[in-house]
Amino acid sequence: MEVIEQIKEQVVNAKVLKVNPLESEAIYIFREVVAQFEKPVLLFSGGKDSITLVRLAQKAFYPGKIPFPLLHIDTGHNFPETIEFRDRLVKELGVELIVRNVQDSIDQGKVTEEKGKYASRNSLQTTTLLDALEEFKFDAAIGGARRDEEKARAKERIFSVRDDFGQWDEKNQRPELFDHLNGKIDLGQNVRVFPISNWTELDVWSYIQKEEIEIPSIYFAHKRKTFIRDGMIWSAEDEVVHREDDELVEERLVRFRTVGDMSCTAAVLSDAITIDKVVAEIRESTISERGARIDDKRSEAAMEKRKQQGYF
Amino acid sequence: MDVLKIATAGSVDDGKSTLIGRILYDTKSLTSDKLEAIETRSKANGFDYLDFSLATDGLVAEREQGITIDVAHIYFSTKTKSYIIADTPGHIEYTRNMVTGASTSQASIILVDARKGVIEQTYRHFFINNLLRVKDVIVAINKMDLVDFSQSTYEAIKSDFEKLIAKSDYKEQNITFIPVSALQGDNVVDASKNTPWYKGKTLLEHLEELDAQDVYEKAEVRFPVQTVIRPKKDEFHDFRGYAGKLYGGDLSVGDEVTVLPSLTTSKVKEIFFFDKKFDTAGRGSSCTITLEDDVNVSRGDMIVKSSEKPRVEKQLTATICWMDNKDLNPGANYFIQSGSNRILAKVKNISGTVATDFSGEDTAKNSLSLNEIGKVEIQLSKPLAIDSYSKNKVSGSFILIDSQTNNTSGVGFIQ
């Protein structure tokens, strides 16, 4: 009798792979992309969501390498910490990094720099992105968008079909049933793929914590020269942020919750210097992540409009 | 943390979006900036209450028309669980989007307007939940504030609904009735003082007790191979891993397996998840396995336990929910996709449409129009490993893809 009990115990102690449903879903999606498309690419900004995507892609194809390049649409207004981090990560992983610059699109006269104190290059990215997809004939662009970020995002499918112009037709989306993802498209069309659609901001942070994934230092509390506008904390350390003379610069202890274009990303007051403290802070927060994205405040449908024009 | 996926269903203006907004508000899941936006907009629209539907209707067209067009995914969590709610449209013309939301959900909330009772749309919504084998269904009888929280009204609707349940052939479904007022918050998160006659749980209390762990059924092992991993690295020179997601039961090292449709057999040699090896993979895990023998396995093949083989057929009968503006007609060619398998198929016969009020089949009709449900026989160009839907939700379901437009035109549930 005792022997049987012992054997039972051994079976219980055997290494069983436990499922994290969100992680498992994301890995499944990555593999479908590689199997169903000719030339996928991962859109990489150096932010926490795209860093998480890179880890999930590693897991999906291990012990093989990540079977697609990374594409960074560089607004030229990135935080230097993010660029330094990006280059180090790419080197460690041995993956190809393609960079296309919004500045080039401006120089070619395809887009015009915005003017005024709210000027941002965020929406200009769309043109550079669409040009890059066409240049390399990428048919699937994998992005780190999450449905909890914004209410138009909450409506988007995991395989989101875009037309020749990169446009999203929000009223005519393909039904998405069970795990049967339909990636069949015509030449010229492409698909935006969102493997972490169903993750929340807290899910991403908890995952980074659990997996001990390295992230740019800008996500942790640091002293920074800042000024306040419209109740938000703007970075005063770079000339890309247009500051008026009467906007007072002060040093504050801040961190960034989301890392986009410097000209449209606000900081939050924080003393969280470790990932544990960041997770605790997010858990307690009463403000949404997008609350610090200045470009989303432009109108109630800002995101939906950008997506109709091909924004990722 | 466990994740519970829920779909909502209900007719237009039954208050689905309002109910979700109420759950978010009462569980303090709405961040202050989002709440502020709702307050501002509600005032601008001239409401003297908070219009919670603004939290979920994310498209301009939805806010213009005050209706839900497509599925919104809403997230919140409590101390015990994470929740994903698929807020699906109630309009009959958006039935396909409702099926989309319900297909990945473990539980469903059907709303009934207490003033209107069980109506045709309620039949349809219950039928679809039934067809999809959604395990837990909650019938929220809403707008109780508008019928003076009348117990007799509630009981009458419940009794009507039970007549519907009696006609269903899916007897394992758990169905719970709750009287609520989404607008005022009665029995949504907090128990209501207005319904002293109701002794059951509030909606959230009920959701908290559902088993979220059972995301993937306790079914037989089905491992559709998504891709073969052959790293070009010295240390893994001879590595040949089969990557996929494990549906159904657990798979262990040493298990005797059969590869379908070729029927070759082997044993599981290793189970990888990233850089770690495991003895057993739990159901639902996206892992990579290697086999003892050098057998020919590629994308589209399915690995199963040799003792639990599915059917391998070149022909199948299925209930199809049609989702395309273009009708489905006999003789038409489509791609059939089930998991990682996509093959050409011909529609041989449509034996009629199924009435969503459980009143039977209309055998006079031999084509399917948008949002219609019917029984269809399909001829496959190659043999496919399949199960009946009641046995396994993944190997028992498929989509039909229009080869001209590439649209996902329908979803099928295999008999």
Side-chain angles (χ1 to χ4, degrees), chain B residues 94-331:
Chain B
Y94 300 120
T95 300
R96 61 186 197 153
N97 293 337
M98 195 204 132
V99 178
T100 294
S103 76
T104 51
S105 296
Q106 299 139 263
S108 186
I109 302 170
I110 298 179
L111 276 98
V112 176
D113 186 329
R115 296 167 306 170
K116 295 179 189 156
V118 174
I119 57 169
E120 200 201 326
Q121 274 295 78
T122 320
Y123 291 155
R124 178 174 281 268
H125 293 145
F126 179 64
F127 186 89
I128 288 169
N129 274 293
N130 210 264
L131 180 69
L132 283 160
R133 295 285 193 266
V134 176
K135 206 172 75 187
D136 290 285
V137 174
I138 297 153
V139 182
I141 299 173
N142 190 26
K143 306 199 183 182
M144 288 301 293
D145 52 317
L146 298 182
V147 294
D148 297 328
F149 295 97
S150 152
Q151 183 180 7
S152 59
T153 305
Y154 168 78
E155 296 292 347
I157 295 171
K158 189 176 166 205
S159 152
D160 281 350
F161 207 105
E162 278 165 347
K163 281 177 204 149
L164 206 59
I165 297 167
K167 293 180 188 169
S168 142
D169 63 344
Y170 177 35
K171 297 297 173 199
E172 296 79 34
Q173 199 163 36
N174 305 316
I175 299 158
T176 311
F177 296 87
I178 304 174
V180 304
S181 164
L183 195 67
Q184 299 183 359
D186 297 81
N187 294 328
V188 178
V189 170
D190 303 312
S192 170
K193 288 191 180 79
N194 296 315
T195 53
W197 43 267
Y198 174 71
K199 304 291 176 216
K201 297 187 182 76
T202 68
L203 181 63
L204 186 70
E205 282 169 353
H206 185 76
L207 294 174
E208 289 279 270
E209 289 187 2
L210 294 183
D211 182 10
Q213 274 185 324
D214 196 23
V215 183
Y216 305 99
E217 312 150 277
K218 293 181 184 103
E220 294 179 344
V221 165
R222 298 291 178 256
F223 189 74
V225 176
Q226 290 184 276
T227 179
V228 180
I229 294 176
R230 301 220 56 180
K232 295 169 187 77
K233 289 180 187 169
D234 285 344
E235 50 177 327
F236 292 103
H237 193 72
D238 294 319
F239 187 92
R240 207 179 150 82
Y242 308 111
K245 192 168 160 186
L246 180 67
Y247 299 97
D250 301 342
L251 191 64
S252 298
V253 170
D255 281 348
E256 291 193 16
V257 292
T258 301
V259 183
L260 301 165
S262 68
L263 289 172
T264 42
T265 57
S266 186
K267 275 185 184 169
V268 178
K269 188 179 166 194
E270 298 156 306
I271 297 170
F272 278 93
F273 183 72
F274 197 27
D275 52 359
K276 290 186 182 66
K277 275 192 202 181
F278 290 84
D279 300 327
T280 300
R283 61 183 192 272
S285 49
S286 285
C287 53
T288 300
I289 64 172
T290 61
L291 300 180
E292 299 247 331
D293 307 281
D294 196 11
V295 292
N296 185 7
V297 183
S298 53
R299 173 172 170 87
D301 288 349
M302 188 188 274
I303 297 172
V304 302
K305 280 188 187 173
S306 295
S307 56
E308 307 174 336
K309 284 200 278 283
R311 293 181 270 160
V312 179
E313 309 271 2
K314 273 194 80 175
Q315 195 160 303
L316 57 87
T317 307
T319 303
I320 285 184
C321 179
W322 196 242
M323 301 174 154
D324 208 331
N325 293 318
K326 196 168 90 186
D327 286 2
L328 177 70
N329 289 305

Side-chain angles (χ1 to χ4, degrees), chain A residues 11-200:
Chain A
V11 174
V12 172
N13 290 335
K15 268 168 65 184
V16 178
L17 172 56
K18 291 215 180 74
V19 185
N20 170 347
L22 295 172
E23 181 186 51
S24 207
E25 178 180 73
I27 291 172
Y28 175 83
I29 294 164
F30 265 112
R31 289 167 173 171
E32 281 305 293
V33 173
V34 167
Q36 292 197 35
F37 295 92
E38 298 281 325
K39 217 177 166 194
V41 67
L42 193 153
L43 303 177
F44 185 80
S45 68
K48 64 179 191 315
D49 299 304
S50 53
I51 292 169
T52 299
L53 283 186
V54 169
R55 169 58 57 90
L56 290 162
Q58 262 185 297
K59 289 197 174 191
F61 303 103
Y62 184 88
K65 273 190 186 175
I66 295 175
F68 39 73
L70 310 187
L71 171 63
H72 184 206
I73 302 301
D74 191 339
T75 60
H77 292 174
N78 284 289
F79 293 95
E81 294 92 328
T82 315
I83 299 297
E84 180 265 329
F85 177 88
R86 175 196 77 186
D87 293 339
R88 199 154 38 86
L89 182 75
V90 165
K91 213 171 154 192
E92 276 169 26
L93 294 175
V95 290
E96 187 194 350
L97 172 74
I98 298 166
V99 181
R100 284 295 174 268
N101 298 295
V102 171
Q103 186 62 52
D104 292 339
S105 304
I106 295 171
D107 294 344
Q108 289 159 12
K110 287 183 169 171
V111 290
T112 312
E113 188 102 67
E114 293 182 347
K115 293 195 176 66
K117 66 176 184 177
Y118 291 98
S120 148
R121 285 185 167 183
N122 192 43
S123 65
L124 306 187
Q125 285 180 81
T126 302
T127 301
T128 318
L129 169 65
L130 294 177
D131 283 350
L133 296 180
E134 197 169 319
E135 179 187 349
F136 293 95
K137 304 273 178 265
F138 290 127
D139 52 358
I142 306 159
R146 306 187 324 267
R147 285 168 173 158
D148 79 320
E149 279 178 74
E150 208 276 339
K151 57 184 182 292
R153 281 241 195 272
K155 293 277 170 180
E156 197 162 10
R157 301 279 191 258
I158 289 168
F159 271 20
S160 181
V161 181
R162 304 294 181 95
D163 68 9
D164 275 6
F165 299 93
Q167 298 180 107
W168 180 50
D169 183 358
E170 76 287 358
K171 276 178 252 175
N172 191 26
Q173 301 195 73
R174 281 181 188 171
E176 226 160 55
L177 301 136
F178 303 97
D179 275 354
H180 312 308
L181 294 169
N182 174 8
K184 268 185 80 65
I185 50 169
D186 289 329
L187 210 63
Q189 284 183 325
N190 71 73
V191 165
R192 306 292 165 84
V193 181
F194 304 114
I196 58 168
S197 272
N198 282 322
W199 298 41
T200 63

Side-chain angles (χ1 to χ4, degrees), chain A residues 17 24 155 179 198 286 288 300, chain B residues 32-33 62 70 75 247 284:
Chain A
L17 172 56
S24 207
K155 293 277 170 180
D179 275 354
N198 282 322
T286 57
S288 78
E300 204 182 348
Chain B
S32 60
D33 53 323
E62 293 179 319
D70 208 333
Y75 303 80
Y247 299 97

